[in-house]
Amino acid sequence: MDSRDAESAALRRELRSRLGLLGTPLQVLAEGVLGEEDARIDWVAVEPDGRLWVALLGVEGGDQGLLALGLAQRAWIQARIADWRQLAPGLHARAELRPRLLLIAPDFSRVVQLAAREADPDGLRLARFRWVAVSGGGACLSLEPLDPLPAPTPGPPAAATPLASVFRSTLEERDFAGDAGIPGRLRPAGS
């Protein structure tokens, strides 16, 4: 195992122990599950009411890809809950509840925060991790939930924007009356 793999494994261990500190008590059921397209699901956890959580860790940036992958992995897990319950009847997971998604990364762009709110404001959580220096040297891992960006408040309706140009002509209503001899023929102006 190279140093990068060792750091990643240490980060995962540290984060796993802190998942329940994000406001919902979670029990980790599985780690490193191969999900959709054989992509890794870092943790599958369950909360006390039986709702599953799918947690993905992003360390390389690319938070937009993490959001898309998370949504796909959540759908993959949801489709398998009933099968898992048959395999493990004691599994405290409720198939009728849509799993929640937890994305963990060093930071999230504003676009991802907005997209997460729009995709599923109640079932999708973002959390940021960072290493914080401690006195005496060394660092401590901090994990904090990101508050969802507020939904835009509707303001007064925008005033109608005037057209850039207005069509004008010298035609008058009588010009459209036509000629008695030729229906639909316009008469020259002034006749």
Side-chain angles (χ1 to χ4, degrees), residues 7 21-22 39 48 52 72 83 95 105 110 124-125 127 134 140 149 152 181:
E7 288 175 20
L21 301 176
L22 293 172
L52 288 182
D83 295 336
R110 180 171 167 74
L124 202 156
R125 303 256 326 259
V134 293
C140 176
L149 292 177

Side-chain angles (χ1 to χ4, degrees), residues 43-166:
W43 301 281
V44 177
V46 64
E47 62 184 62
D49 74 352
R51 184 183 302 269
L52 288 182
W53 282 72
V54 177
L56 298 180
L57 173 61
V59 292
E60 301 294 327
D63 56 353
Q64 293 175 6
L66 186 64
L67 175 60
L69 178 62
L71 292 170
Q73 297 297 35
R74 181 174 69 177
W76 186 88
I77 289 287
Q78 185 172 11
R80 283 152 183 80
I81 297 172
D83 295 336
W84 289 358
R85 291 201 48 175
Q86 281 185 334
L87 293 171
L91 179 65
H92 181 62
R94 293 177 51 193
E96 72 276 10
L97 296 177
R98 184 177 191 183
R100 290 195 168 117
L101 177 59
L102 172 62
L103 303 177
I104 305 168
D107 206 3
F108 292 94
S109 68
R110 180 171 167 74
V111 168
V112 168
Q113 291 179 56
L114 290 169
R117 183 195 70 216
E118 291 299 314
D120 190 351
D122 297 322
L124 202 156
R125 303 256 326 259
L126 303 177
R128 179 176 32 222
F129 74 88
R130 59 192 170 107
W131 292 99
V132 179
V134 293
S135 62
C140 176
L141 184 64
S142 166
L143 181 63
E144 58 191 31
L146 284 179
D147 292 329
L149 292 177
T153 55
T161 307
L163 299 175
S165 65
V166 177

